[in-house]
Amino acid sequence: MRYAVAALWLLLGAAAHADSAPVLARAQALLAEARANPGVQADLLERGRERSAFCAACHGAGGESTRADYPDLAGQSIEYLLTQFGQFQGAERYRKVMNDLMAKLTDDEKALLAVYYALQPPQPEPAADAALVASGAKLYAARCQSCHGADAHGKDGRARLAGQKPGYLLRVLNDFRQGHDRSPDSVMRSMVQGLSEADVQALASFLGAQP
């Protein structure tokens, strides 16, 4: 089925050249085609696996991170992934490896990677402390659910939090609390104000265990 994917790439490339279609439109078309055609999906997954070889050193071959404080990418939406790609390319977020990588990737490669990771199944980690998870569930419903969804799968281009590495969630939440890494006008800064270290631990434990 490689010819089908190649034809789709040519079609998308021509449309982008003629209409300056954003990378999101390319990714949406690829994802729709992959979901409708198992052969195309298999080929896209193969191509994505090949192109993500460099990413796998930190984020795992299928988007499941090899480090506790690095994010899983499996199951994230293409909208969220492409937003993050753009923030790294524009240096709104700073991680040197990511900034350098996004400066080199083509739009086609970004679309392919976004679709590849969006198609991967997340792998939640069972939490050992039921009380901590219960506390996190209450905090999530009160502070996070309206933007990230009742199931924490993300909505409107926001991050999927369900099944994310607890260690990464801890790092990111603390980054927001301390004003590091992210945009100064991010709504997350106000949302995490007043959270204690125990609250952050509870949220991370709850979210990491969600399917």
Short mmCIF file of all heavy atoms in Angstrom, two decimals, residues 111-159:
data_model
loop_
_atom_site.label_atom_id
_atom_site.label_comp_id
_atom_site.label_asym_id
_atom_site.label_seq_id
_atom_site.Cartn_x
_atom_site.Cartn_y
_atom_site.Cartn_z
N ALA A 111 3.75 16.54 9.92
CA ALA A 111 2.43 15.94 9.77
C ALA A 111 2.50 14.44 9.97
O ALA A 111 1.66 13.84 10.65
CB ALA A 111 1.86 16.27 8.39
N LEU A 112 3.51 13.80 9.37
CA LEU A 112 3.67 12.35 9.51
C LEU A 112 3.88 11.97 10.97
O LEU A 112 3.26 11.02 11.47
CB LEU A 112 4.85 11.88 8.66
CG LEU A 112 5.23 10.40 8.79
CD1 LEU A 112 4.09 9.51 8.33
CD2 LEU A 112 6.50 10.11 7.99
N LEU A 113 4.75 12.68 11.67
CA LEU A 113 5.02 12.36 13.07
C LEU A 113 3.79 12.55 13.94
O LEU A 113 3.50 11.73 14.82
CB LEU A 113 6.18 13.21 13.58
CG LEU A 113 7.56 12.83 13.08
CD1 LEU A 113 8.58 13.89 13.48
CD2 LEU A 113 7.99 11.46 13.62
N ALA A 114 3.05 13.62 13.69
CA ALA A 114 1.84 13.88 14.48
C ALA A 114 0.83 12.75 14.29
O ALA A 114 0.24 12.27 15.27
CB ALA A 114 1.23 15.22 14.09
N VAL A 115 0.64 12.31 13.06
CA VAL A 115 -0.30 11.23 12.79
C VAL A 115 0.21 9.92 13.38
O VAL A 115 -0.56 9.15 13.99
CB VAL A 115 -0.54 11.08 11.27
CG1 VAL A 115 -1.35 9.83 10.97
CG2 VAL A 115 -1.25 12.31 10.74
N TYR A 116 1.49 9.65 13.24
CA TYR A 116 2.09 8.43 13.79
C TYR A 116 1.83 8.32 15.29
O TYR A 116 1.36 7.28 15.78
CB TYR A 116 3.58 8.41 13.51
CG TYR A 116 4.32 7.30 14.20
CD1 TYR A 116 4.15 5.97 13.79
CD2 TYR A 116 5.19 7.55 15.25
CE1 TYR A 116 4.82 4.94 14.42
CE2 TYR A 116 5.87 6.52 15.89
CZ TYR A 116 5.68 5.22 15.47
OH TYR A 116 6.35 4.20 16.11
N TYR A 117 2.09 9.39 16.02
CA TYR A 117 1.90 9.32 17.47
C TYR A 117 0.43 9.32 17.85
O TYR A 117 0.04 8.66 18.83
CB TYR A 117 2.63 10.48 18.15
CG TYR A 117 4.13 10.30 18.17
CD1 TYR A 117 4.98 11.23 17.57
CD2 TYR A 117 4.71 9.17 18.75
CE1 TYR A 117 6.35 11.04 17.57
CE2 TYR A 117 6.08 8.98 18.75
CZ TYR A 117 6.89 9.92 18.17
OH TYR A 117 8.25 9.73 18.17
N ALA A 118 -0.40 10.02 17.10
CA ALA A 118 -1.83 10.03 17.39
C ALA A 118 -2.45 8.64 17.26
O ALA A 118 -3.43 8.31 17.96
CB ALA A 118 -2.55 11.01 16.46
N LEU A 119 -1.88 7.81 16.39
CA LEU A 119 -2.41 6.46 16.16
C LEU A 119 -1.90 5.43 17.17
O LEU A 119 -2.39 4.30 17.20
CB LEU A 119 -2.05 5.99 14.75
CG LEU A 119 -2.77 6.70 13.60
CD1 LEU A 119 -2.17 6.30 12.26
CD2 LEU A 119 -4.28 6.39 13.62
N GLN A 120 -0.93 5.80 17.99
CA GLN A 120 -0.37 4.85 18.95
C GLN A 120 -1.27 4.73 20.18
O GLN A 120 -1.78 5.73 20.69
CB GLN A 120 1.02 5.29 19.39
CG GLN A 120 2.03 5.44 18.27
CD GLN A 120 2.24 4.14 17.51
OE1 GLN A 120 2.40 3.08 18.10
NE2 GLN A 120 2.23 4.23 16.20
N PRO A 121 -1.47 3.52 20.71
CA PRO A 121 -2.30 3.35 21.91
C PRO A 121 -1.54 3.73 23.18
O PRO A 121 -0.42 3.25 23.39
CB PRO A 121 -2.63 1.85 21.90
CG PRO A 121 -1.48 1.22 21.17
CD PRO A 121 -1.04 2.23 20.14
N PRO A 122 -2.10 4.58 24.02
CA PRO A 122 -1.44 4.93 25.28
C PRO A 122 -1.38 3.72 26.22
O PRO A 122 -2.20 2.80 26.13
CB PRO A 122 -2.35 6.01 25.87
CG PRO A 122 -3.17 6.49 24.72
CD PRO A 122 -3.34 5.32 23.81
N GLN A 123 -0.41 3.75 27.12
CA GLN A 123 -0.22 2.66 28.07
C GLN A 123 -0.19 3.24 29.49
O GLN A 123 0.87 3.58 30.01
CB GLN A 123 1.09 1.92 27.79
CG GLN A 123 1.21 1.34 26.39
CD GLN A 123 0.23 0.21 26.15
OE1 GLN A 123 -0.13 -0.51 27.08
NE2 GLN A 123 -0.21 0.05 24.92
N PRO A 124 -1.35 3.36 30.15
CA PRO A 124 -1.37 3.93 31.50
C PRO A 124 -0.62 3.04 32.49
O PRO A 124 -0.50 1.82 32.28
CB PRO A 124 -2.86 4.00 31.84
CG PRO A 124 -3.51 3.01 30.93
CD PRO A 124 -2.69 2.98 29.68
N GLU A 125 -0.14 3.66 33.56
CA GLU A 125 0.58 2.94 34.60
C GLU A 125 -0.30 2.82 35.84
O GLU A 125 -0.75 3.84 36.37
CB GLU A 125 1.88 3.67 34.96
CG GLU A 125 2.83 3.82 33.79
CD GLU A 125 4.10 4.54 34.18
OE1 GLU A 125 4.28 4.84 35.38
OE2 GLU A 125 4.92 4.79 33.28
N PRO A 126 -0.56 1.61 36.32
CA PRO A 126 -1.39 1.45 37.53
C PRO A 126 -0.77 2.20 38.71
O PRO A 126 0.44 2.16 38.92
CB PRO A 126 -1.38 -0.06 37.77
CG PRO A 126 -1.04 -0.66 36.44
CD PRO A 126 -0.11 0.32 35.78
N ALA A 127 -1.61 2.90 39.46
CA ALA A 127 -1.14 3.63 40.63
C ALA A 127 -1.22 2.74 41.86
O ALA A 127 -2.16 1.96 42.03
CB ALA A 127 -1.97 4.89 40.83
N ALA A 128 -0.24 2.86 42.73
CA ALA A 128 -0.18 2.01 43.92
C ALA A 128 -0.99 2.56 45.08
O ALA A 128 -1.44 1.81 45.94
CB ALA A 128 1.28 1.82 44.35
N ASP A 129 -1.18 3.87 45.12
CA ASP A 129 -1.82 4.52 46.26
C ASP A 129 -3.23 4.96 45.89
O ASP A 129 -3.44 6.00 45.26
CB ASP A 129 -0.98 5.72 46.69
CG ASP A 129 -1.43 6.31 48.02
OD1 ASP A 129 -2.63 6.24 48.33
OD2 ASP A 129 -0.57 6.87 48.73
N ALA A 130 -4.22 4.17 46.29
CA ALA A 130 -5.62 4.44 45.93
C ALA A 130 -6.10 5.76 46.53
O ALA A 130 -6.88 6.49 45.90
CB ALA A 130 -6.52 3.30 46.39
N ALA A 131 -5.66 6.09 47.72
CA ALA A 131 -6.09 7.34 48.37
C ALA A 131 -5.56 8.54 47.60
O ALA A 131 -6.26 9.55 47.44
CB ALA A 131 -5.61 7.36 49.82
N LEU A 132 -4.33 8.43 47.13
CA LEU A 132 -3.74 9.51 46.36
C LEU A 132 -4.49 9.71 45.05
O LEU A 132 -4.75 10.85 44.62
CB LEU A 132 -2.27 9.21 46.10
CG LEU A 132 -1.35 10.38 45.73
CD1 LEU A 132 -1.32 11.42 46.83
CD2 LEU A 132 0.06 9.88 45.42
N VAL A 133 -4.85 8.62 44.41
CA VAL A 133 -5.61 8.69 43.16
C VAL A 133 -6.98 9.33 43.39
O VAL A 133 -7.43 10.16 42.60
CB VAL A 133 -5.77 7.28 42.55
CG1 VAL A 133 -6.76 7.31 41.38
CG2 VAL A 133 -4.42 6.76 42.06
N ALA A 134 -7.64 8.96 44.48
CA ALA A 134 -8.95 9.54 44.79
C ALA A 134 -8.85 11.04 45.02
O ALA A 134 -9.70 11.82 44.56
CB ALA A 134 -9.54 8.84 46.02
N SER A 135 -7.80 11.46 45.71
CA SER A 135 -7.59 12.88 45.92
C SER A 135 -7.32 13.59 44.61
O SER A 135 -7.85 14.69 44.36
CB SER A 135 -6.40 13.08 46.88
OG SER A 135 -6.11 14.45 47.04
N GLY A 136 -6.53 12.97 43.76
CA GLY A 136 -6.24 13.54 42.45
C GLY A 136 -7.47 13.66 41.58
O GLY A 136 -7.62 14.63 40.82
N ALA A 137 -8.37 12.69 41.68
CA ALA A 137 -9.60 12.72 40.89
C ALA A 137 -10.45 13.95 41.25
O ALA A 137 -11.03 14.61 40.37
CB ALA A 137 -10.40 11.44 41.11
N LYS A 138 -10.51 14.27 42.54
CA LYS A 138 -11.28 15.44 42.97
C LYS A 138 -10.64 16.74 42.48
O LYS A 138 -11.33 17.65 42.02
CB LYS A 138 -11.39 15.44 44.50
CG LYS A 138 -12.22 14.30 45.06
CD LYS A 138 -12.24 14.34 46.59
CE LYS A 138 -13.04 13.17 47.15
NZ LYS A 138 -13.00 13.17 48.64
N LEU A 139 -9.34 16.80 42.57
CA LEU A 139 -8.63 17.99 42.09
C LEU A 139 -8.79 18.16 40.59
O LEU A 139 -9.00 19.27 40.09
CB LEU A 139 -7.14 17.89 42.44
CG LEU A 139 -6.77 18.13 43.90
CD1 LEU A 139 -5.35 17.65 44.15
CD2 LEU A 139 -6.91 19.61 44.24
N TYR A 140 -8.72 17.04 39.88
CA TYR A 140 -8.86 17.11 38.42
C TYR A 140 -10.25 17.62 38.04
O TYR A 140 -10.37 18.49 37.16
CB TYR A 140 -8.62 15.73 37.80
CG TYR A 140 -8.78 15.76 36.30
CD1 TYR A 140 -7.74 16.21 35.50
CD2 TYR A 140 -9.98 15.41 35.69
CE1 TYR A 140 -7.89 16.31 34.12
CE2 TYR A 140 -10.14 15.50 34.32
CZ TYR A 140 -9.09 15.95 33.54
OH TYR A 140 -9.24 16.05 32.18
N ALA A 141 -11.28 17.09 38.67
CA ALA A 141 -12.65 17.51 38.35
C ALA A 141 -12.84 19.00 38.63
O ALA A 141 -13.54 19.70 37.88
CB ALA A 141 -13.65 16.69 39.16
N ALA A 142 -12.20 19.51 39.67
CA ALA A 142 -12.38 20.90 40.06
C ALA A 142 -11.57 21.86 39.21
O ALA A 142 -12.02 22.97 38.91
CB ALA A 142 -12.02 21.08 41.52
N ARG A 143 -10.37 21.45 38.78
CA ARG A 143 -9.45 22.39 38.16
C ARG A 143 -9.14 22.13 36.69
O ARG A 143 -8.73 23.06 35.98
CB ARG A 143 -8.12 22.41 38.93
CG ARG A 143 -8.20 23.07 40.29
CD ARG A 143 -6.85 23.03 40.99
NE ARG A 143 -6.87 23.73 42.26
CZ ARG A 143 -6.34 24.93 42.46
NH1 ARG A 143 -5.74 25.57 41.48
NH2 ARG A 143 -6.39 25.49 43.66
N CYS A 144 -9.25 20.91 36.24
CA CYS A 144 -8.70 20.55 34.93
C CYS A 144 -9.72 20.07 33.91
O CYS A 144 -9.49 20.16 32.70
CB CYS A 144 -7.65 19.44 35.10
SG CYS A 144 -6.53 19.66 36.50
N GLN A 145 -10.82 19.53 34.40
CA GLN A 145 -11.76 18.82 33.53
C GLN A 145 -12.35 19.70 32.44
O GLN A 145 -12.58 19.24 31.32
CB GLN A 145 -12.87 18.23 34.40
CG GLN A 145 -13.95 17.48 33.64
CD GLN A 145 -14.93 16.79 34.58
OE1 GLN A 145 -14.53 16.03 35.45
NE2 GLN A 145 -16.20 17.08 34.42
N SER A 146 -12.61 20.96 32.74
CA SER A 146 -13.29 21.81 31.77
C SER A 146 -12.46 22.00 30.50
O SER A 146 -13.02 22.20 29.41
CB SER A 146 -13.61 23.18 32.38
OG SER A 146 -12.41 23.84 32.78
N CYS A 147 -11.13 21.94 30.61
CA CYS A 147 -10.28 22.11 29.43
C CYS A 147 -9.79 20.78 28.85
O CYS A 147 -9.66 20.63 27.63
CB CYS A 147 -9.06 22.96 29.77
SG CYS A 147 -9.44 24.71 30.03
N HIS A 148 -9.50 19.82 29.72
CA HIS A 148 -8.89 18.57 29.26
C HIS A 148 -9.88 17.42 29.12
O HIS A 148 -9.50 16.33 28.72
CB HIS A 148 -7.74 18.17 30.19
CG HIS A 148 -6.58 19.12 30.14
ND1 HIS A 148 -5.64 19.07 29.14
CD2 HIS A 148 -6.24 20.15 30.95
CE1 HIS A 148 -4.75 20.03 29.35
NE2 HIS A 148 -5.09 20.70 30.42
N GLY A 149 -11.16 17.67 29.43
CA GLY A 149 -12.19 16.67 29.23
C GLY A 149 -12.42 15.79 30.44
O GLY A 149 -11.51 15.58 31.26
N ALA A 150 -13.63 15.27 30.56
CA ALA A 150 -13.98 14.42 31.69
C ALA A 150 -13.12 13.17 31.76
O ALA A 150 -12.82 12.66 32.84
CB ALA A 150 -15.46 14.03 31.62
N ASP A 151 -12.70 12.67 30.58
CA ASP A 151 -11.86 11.48 30.53
C ASP A 151 -10.37 11.81 30.47
O ASP A 151 -9.54 10.91 30.36
CB ASP A 151 -12.24 10.59 29.35
CG ASP A 151 -12.19 11.33 28.01
OD1 ASP A 151 -11.73 12.50 27.98
OD2 ASP A 151 -12.60 10.74 26.98
N ALA A 152 -10.04 13.09 30.50
CA ALA A 152 -8.65 13.57 30.43
C ALA A 152 -7.97 13.21 29.12
O ALA A 152 -6.74 13.17 29.04
CB ALA A 152 -7.82 13.05 31.61
N HIS A 153 -8.76 12.99 28.07
CA HIS A 153 -8.20 12.68 26.75
C HIS A 153 -7.87 13.95 25.96
O HIS A 153 -7.36 13.86 24.85
CB HIS A 153 -9.17 11.81 25.96
CG HIS A 153 -9.22 10.41 26.45
ND1 HIS A 153 -9.90 9.41 25.78
CD2 HIS A 153 -8.68 9.81 27.54
CE1 HIS A 153 -9.79 8.26 26.45
NE2 HIS A 153 -9.05 8.49 27.53
N GLY A 154 -8.18 15.10 26.54
CA GLY A 154 -7.91 16.36 25.85
C GLY A 154 -9.05 16.73 24.93
O GLY A 154 -9.77 15.86 24.42
N LYS A 155 -9.23 18.01 24.71
CA LYS A 155 -10.24 18.47 23.75
C LYS A 155 -9.83 19.85 23.25
O LYS A 155 -9.06 20.57 23.89
CB LYS A 155 -11.63 18.51 24.39
CG LYS A 155 -11.79 19.48 25.54
CD LYS A 155 -13.22 19.45 26.08
CE LYS A 155 -13.43 20.51 27.16
NZ LYS A 155 -14.81 20.51 27.67
N ASP A 156 -10.33 20.19 22.08
CA ASP A 156 -10.04 21.50 21.47
C ASP A 156 -8.55 21.77 21.36
O ASP A 156 -8.08 22.89 21.58
CB ASP A 156 -10.71 22.63 22.28
CG ASP A 156 -12.22 22.48 22.36
OD1 ASP A 156 -12.81 21.98 21.38
OD2 ASP A 156 -12.80 22.85 23.40
N GLY A 157 -7.79 20.71 21.03
CA GLY A 157 -6.37 20.87 20.82
C GLY A 157 -5.53 20.89 22.09
O GLY A 157 -4.32 21.11 22.03
N ARG A 158 -6.16 20.65 23.22
CA ARG A 158 -5.40 20.63 24.48
C ARG A 158 -4.86 19.22 24.73
O ARG A 158 -5.32 18.25 24.17
CB ARG A 158 -6.27 21.11 25.64
CG ARG A 158 -6.72 22.56 25.47
CD ARG A 158 -7.50 23.04 26.69
NE ARG A 158 -7.87 24.44 26.55
CZ ARG A 158 -9.03 24.84 26.05
NH1 ARG A 158 -9.93 23.95 25.62
NH2 ARG A 158 -9.30 26.12 25.96
N ALA A 159 -3.90 19.14 25.63
CA ALA A 159 -3.17 17.88 25.84
C ALA A 159 -4.03 16.76 26.40
O ALA A 159 -4.90 16.99 27.26
CB ALA A 159 -1.99 18.12 26.78
#
